[in-house]
Amino acid sequence: MPTKILPEKSEITVIGGGIVGVTIAHELARRGEEVTVIEKRFIGSGSTFRCGTGIRQQFGDEANVRVMKRSVDLWKRYSEEYGFPFEQTGYLFLLYDDEEVEAFKRNIAIQNRFGVPTRLITPEEAKEIVPLLDISEVVAASWNPTDGKASPFHSTTAFALHAEEFGAKLVEYTEVKDFIIENGEIKGLKTSRGTIKTGIVINATNAWAKLVNAMAGIRTKIPIEPYKHQAVITQPVKKGSVKPMVISFRYGHAYLTQTSHGGIIGGVGHEEGPTYDLSPTYEFMREVSYYFTKIIPALRELLILRTWAGYYAKTPDSNPAIGKIEELSDYYIAAGFSGHGFMMAPAVAEMVADLITKGKTDLPVDFYDPYRFERGELRGKALQMG
Ligand SMILES: Cc1cc2nc3c(=O)[nH]c(=O)nc-3n(C[C@H](O)[C@H](O)[C@H](O)COP(=O)(O)OP(=O)(O)OC[C@H]3O[C@@H](n4cnc5c(N)ncnc54)[C@H](O)[C@@H]3O)c2cc1C
């Protein structure tokens, strides 16, 4: 179980105990490295336990498709090994005009090239998959049955417990306050519970990443800003009512699916920020009710049980910053995941662990180069909903 006792020293320290920090620690510990995670609240308490559960390979660029293909392999493997549910119930993008269809055909071609079996289907086929859909305006849909969803609670906890079994230390309710640096070399971290000696630090604080970079004295421009995104869950309905994640860009950039408890979970593209405020808003509730019922009219019969907010930690191209920051030895960042950090985490962990233990990785980590902002080399915007 995670502890509040800070070890005196750790070879590697991960700041931030969300799914990204936890899976990085899990992967490093699995490879025999000495690693500690320091989390200011409790494991998962940042964006991770507030996410919409979705895991997809349907992206519009090669790097994200390849990384997510690997991530899905790892989600499958660890869900089987550790016994948490990862359901490959698919992602269904509803398309409403020729322009959208053409854009998705291009995405599908990229996905197919890397072995992701997405295909364009008819509105009627989409309705066979989700009989409750209103397809009166839908002209086609992009369907990949190997996308899926997982509970952030079960999965993050399983990765955390197994990381500990491999020897990682997970320290909760401990905030990193400052770095101890001598001649450009990290010597330790000052925390709210004392000091830890450490040589390698990974900034996995996502929405707070710029604050930790500032603490470390990093001058490289890595723009990651916190934006408030909200979500809802409804009362439970009959199991199997909405198996895949259903997406509609036409109707509010909405995404929705059914959780294993039976409620419909999801959100829309109602974004506020940059802000650290997380209070739920009436405007979001109005939008989510309107857009959800345009996609599935029967949802108007349901009560929303709970609404909450979390952060999309956004970069200008909605792709994360992953890699080594050369200003300090040895400082790494894996942050700025926008609306897709939960799904990416297992592959991100592999990339970061590869960089630390081997100095290179087979996955296309250069795409997420933290220096691209400084060089003005933004990537195409990552496909994002919500
Ligand atoms: C409404 C909503 C829906 C979403 N839906 C999806 C989805 O369907 N699929 C998907 O893949 N992603 C989704 N996301 C995005 C996803 O939640 C995030 O990308 C992901 O959780 C990021 O994980 P993380 O570990 O990087 O960050 P976090 O979970 O935010 O973890 C960072 C941690 O760092 C800690 N921390 C910060 N500063 C310090 C410090 N100084 N010292 C110690 N600890 C510190 C914080 O307390 C926090 O726990 C959604 C997000 C929201 C808000």
Side-chain angles (χ1 to χ4, degrees):
M1 290 299 288
T3 163
K4 289 182 183 168
I5 299 165
L6 189 70
E8 210 173 287
K9 66 165 267 299
S10 180
E11 249 354 273
I12 306 172
T13 303
V14 182
I15 312 175
I19 183 90
V20 172
V22 166
T23 49
I24 290 173
H26 168 267
E27 185 58 26
L28 285 166
R30 209 177 64 83
R31 297 183 189 194
E33 302 291 330
E34 184 189 45
V35 56
T36 300
V37 177
I38 303 183
E39 164 54 48
K40 69 175 172 177
R41 291 186 67 218
F42 54 90
I43 297 297
S45 61
S47 292
T48 296
F49 284 178
R50 299 157 191 268
C51 86
T53 74
I55 295 169
R56 72 182 146 100
Q57 299 148 94
Q58 291 194 61
F59 276 84
D61 58 85
E62 177 180 327
N64 280 314
V65 171
R66 281 178 59 199
V67 165
M68 277 313 303
K69 181 143 193 308
R70 177 65 185 152
S71 209
V72 163
D73 288 345
L74 293 167
W75 276 108
K76 226 167 131 179
R77 166 178 163 190
Y78 286 119
S79 68
E80 283 162 14
E81 270 181 39
Y82 297 167
F84 62 81
F86 163 56
E87 299 170 86
Q88 285 185 291
T89 39
Y91 257 63
L92 185 66
F93 287 81
L94 303 176
L95 310 176
Y96 297 82
D97 57 40
D98 291 348
E99 204 183 319
E100 254 192 323
V101 171
E102 285 314 308
F104 273 82
K105 274 187 183 164
R106 283 193 293 275
N107 295 349
I108 290 171
I110 297 171
Q111 293 156 25
N112 290 169
R113 194 142 44 87
F114 294 98
V116 177
T118 312
R119 60 195 169 91
L120 208 62
I121 60 171
T122 63
E124 292 71 29
E125 285 173 307
K127 204 167 166 67
E128 271 170 34
I129 297 166
V130 184
L132 293 171
L133 285 181
D134 177 355
I135 53 162
S136 57
E137 294 174 275
V138 175
V139 298
S142 178
W143 167 241
N144 173 25
T146 67
D147 290 339
K149 57 192 170 191
S151 150
F153 308 105
H154 289 124
S155 57
T156 311
T157 307
F159 279 116
L161 293 175
H162 284 85
E164 286 184 314
E165 271 180 29
F166 290 121
K169 297 210 167 50
L170 273 59
V171 186
E172 293 181 313
Y173 297 101
T174 305
E175 184 170 355
V176 172
K177 298 279 198 185
D178 208 353
F179 281 59
I180 304 166
I181 298 167
E182 287 169 17
N183 301 322
E185 242 181 70
I186 298 173
K187 297 289 177 191
L189 294 169
K190 289 184 186 163
T191 81
S192 54
R193 289 179 193 271
T195 296
I196 179 168
K197 285 187 198 140
T198 192
I200 302 174
V201 171
I202 301 151
N203 176 354
T205 57
N206 211 32
W208 295 268
K210 67 172 179 185
L211 307 179
V212 171
N213 280 348
M215 238 181 244
I218 300 300
R219 288 179 304 278
T220 310
K221 187 175 91 185
I222 307 174
I224 298 175
E225 295 291 343
Y227 285 85
K228 174 161 80 175
H229 275 251
Q230 299 171 63
V232 289
I233 191 155
T234 69
Q235 64 187 124
V237 287
K238 198 174 89 192
K239 287 257 164 78
S241 298
V242 187
K243 284 187 187 154
M245 184 72 81
V246 178
I247 317 287
S248 167
F249 288 123
R250 160 75 59 93
Y251 286 114
H253 277 232
Y255 60 93
L256 60 92
T257 190
Q258 186 171 29
T259 68
S260 50
H261 300 291
I264 305 295
I265 191 173
V268 296
H270 183 97
E271 181 170 275
E272 291 174 39
T275 179
Y276 281 107
D277 167 61
L278 283 183
S279 37
T281 63
Y282 175 67
E283 290 72 24
F284 167 75
M285 289 292 275
R286 273 179 62 122
E287 281 185 28
V288 89
S289 309
Y290 174 73
Y291 290 131
F292 275 22
T293 53
K294 289 302 263 183
I295 299 165
I296 298 183
L299 293 181
R300 74 183 46 171
E301 308 299 330
L302 293 185
L303 295 174
I304 288 173
L305 288 190
R306 199 161 76 79
T307 179
W308 66 91
Y311 305 115
Y312 275 25
K314 287 182 72 174
T315 64
D317 58 18
S318 299
N319 288 295
I322 304 173
K324 191 168 192 293
I325 310 293
E326 301 294 346
E327 280 178 56
L328 269 184
S329 70
D330 281 307
Y331 184 64
Y332 296 80
I333 187 168
F337 288 95
S338 204
H340 33 267
F342 175 66
M343 60 181 80
M344 275 189 177
V348 171
E350 198 166 79
M351 285 192 275
V352 173
D354 280 350
L355 291 181
I356 291 176
T357 60
K358 302 183 200 159
K360 63 182 172 64
T361 176
D362 291 339
L363 287 166
V365 74
D366 289 349
F367 184 79
Y368 310 104
D369 181 359
Y371 287 94
R372 69 184 186 277
F373 310 106
E374 185 118 320
R375 290 200 304 264
E377 288 174 11
L378 293 192
R379 311 305 187 212
K381 251 199 182 341
L383 190 69
Q384 175 188 298
M385 58 248 26

